[in-house]
């Protein structure tokens, strides 16, 4: 069965620190990959997505993620975080064929200290 | 404004009561989904529908039912609520088709449900 692991459950950083959130998935076929962000009290918003092509994808607000197929990973990065990046981040995987369903990771809560 | 609306925003419900959470989208997306979000567990799929008239079970379907009479609406019903169904419920929708770009899901604002 497909699964998604986010190893960092809580991360605390100071402003201007660099961020990397891990995401690993288990699925043998072709996948689509997503990172969503949920700001406090709000609904999920798409940060970035990978379908095919360049494995380094850039999203909104300076975020990027790299798909490493050999490692089944899709880690999220940002060179310099801001206080406004405080949120919960979810990685999600979707099999590229046969289903539209997502499998979500358990999320990572990021707190950025001003 | 195009998007997904959910109602109610929040609800406190006595155990054993019946409750329907409403979800409406105006993006003409074929597929719709219901998730519950619980601390430390992320989002888990309850039920989904790939097109009007069809539904399917997700990871945690027990105690919930859905219907999809038309493209826009996808209500979620708790026939007899229990305290373990206390959660935040999100509705989502997506296009369907052969292109992978159709797989992006769009989420509603959520319903916070407390079952006492």
């Amino acid at each position: 069965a497909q699964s998604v692991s986010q190893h960092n459950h809580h991360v605390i950083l100071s402003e201007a620190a660099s961020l990397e959130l891990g995401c690993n998935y288990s699925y043998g076929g072709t996948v689509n990959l997503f990172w969503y962000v949920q700001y406090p009290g709000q609904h999920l918003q798409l940060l970035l997505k990978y379908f095919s092509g360049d494995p380094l994808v850039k999203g909104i607000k300076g975020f990027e993620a790299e798909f490493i197929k050999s490692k089944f990973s899709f880690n999220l990065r940002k060179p310099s975080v801001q206080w406004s990046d405080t949120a919960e981040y979810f990685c999600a995987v979707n099999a590229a064929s046969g289903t539209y369903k997502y499998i979500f990771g358990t999320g990572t809560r990021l707190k950025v200290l001003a | 404004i195009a998007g997904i609306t959910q109602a109610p925003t929040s609800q406190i419900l006595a155990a054993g009561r019946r409750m329907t959470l409403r979800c409406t989208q105006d993006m003409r997306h074929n597929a719709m989904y219901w998730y519950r979000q619980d601390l430390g567990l992320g989002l888990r799929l309850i039920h989904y529908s790939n097109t009007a008239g069809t539904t399917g079970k997700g990871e945690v379907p027990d105690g919930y039912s859905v219907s999809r009479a038309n493209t826009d609406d996808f209500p979620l019903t708790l026939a007899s609520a229990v305290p373990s169904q206390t959660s935040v419920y999100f509705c989502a929708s997506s296009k369907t088709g052969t292109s992978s770009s159709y797989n992006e899901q769009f989420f509603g604002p959520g319903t916070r449900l407390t079952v006492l």
Side-chain angles (χ1 to χ4, degrees):
Chain A
Q2 298 175 40
S3 66
V4 178
S5 296
Q6 291 183 243
H7 308 295
N8 313 103
H9 300 296
H10 292 89
V11 174
I12 301 175
L13 295 173
S14 298
E15 273 194 317
S18 64
L19 171 72
E20 181 159 2
L21 302 182
C23 173
N24 288 90
Y25 66 93
S26 65
Y27 181 69
T30 303
V31 294
N32 303 312
L33 298 155
F34 307 84
W35 275 99
Y36 280 81
V37 60
Q38 186 178 31
Y39 297 105
Q42 296 188 26
H43 61 93
L44 276 77
Q45 304 170 42
L46 184 69
L47 262 184
L48 48 78
K49 59 192 176 187
Y50 172 81
F51 294 137
S52 64
D54 189 344
L56 183 63
V57 293
K58 295 190 183 297
I60 60 172
K61 304 185 180 185
F63 286 91
E64 65 179 30
E66 185 175 12
F67 172 47
I68 303 179
K69 188 174 182 180
S70 61
K71 295 184 178 180
F72 298 89
S73 69
F74 190 55
N75 292 353
L76 181 71
R77 300 194 292 250
K78 185 170 183 178
S80 177
V81 294
Q82 301 173 312
W83 177 80
S84 58
D85 293 325
T86 294
E88 190 159 16
Y89 294 82
F90 293 94
C91 181
V93 169
N94 159 252
S97 62
T99 178
Y100 306 104
K101 295 184 288 182
Y102 283 13
I103 302 294
F104 277 90
T106 53
T108 297
R109 290 197 164 195
L110 171 66
K111 182 167 185 172
V112 180
L113 304 175
Chain B
I1 298 175
I4 300 177
T5 57
Q6 292 185 236
T9 302
S10 65
Q11 182 75 44
I12 299 173
L13 189 67
R17 298 296 295 269
R18 179 184 180 90
M19 176 73 192
T20 296
L21 308 185
R22 299 184 297 279
C23 174
T24 300
Q25 54 104 358
D26 62 1
M27 296 177 283
R28 307 304 295 171
H29 286 170
N30 282 334
M32 297 187 75
Y33 315 85
W34 274 106
Y35 294 90
R36 58 178 290 173
Q37 183 181 24
D38 302 288
L39 193 63
L41 298 176
L43 280 87
R44 293 178 293 169
L45 183 66
I46 304 170
H47 285 287
Y48 66 96
S49 168
N50 285 340
T51 190
T54 69
T55 62
K57 293 182 179 181
E59 300 173 66
V60 289
D62 294 344
Y64 305 95
S65 64
V66 291
S67 61
R68 188 85 185 278
N70 57 61
T71 297
D72 298 343
D73 301 300
F74 191 43
L76 176 73
T77 297
L78 289 68
S80 178
V82 295
S84 61
Q85 292 177 309
T86 294
S87 186
V88 180
Y89 291 85
F90 288 99
C91 180
S93 71
S94 72
K95 296 179 182 178
T96 60
T98 55
S99 170
S100 290
S101 64
Y102 288 170
N103 288 348
E104 178 181 343
Q105 291 187 14
F106 297 82
F107 286 80
T111 293
R112 184 174 295 274
L113 181 66
T114 302
V115 182
L116 302 175

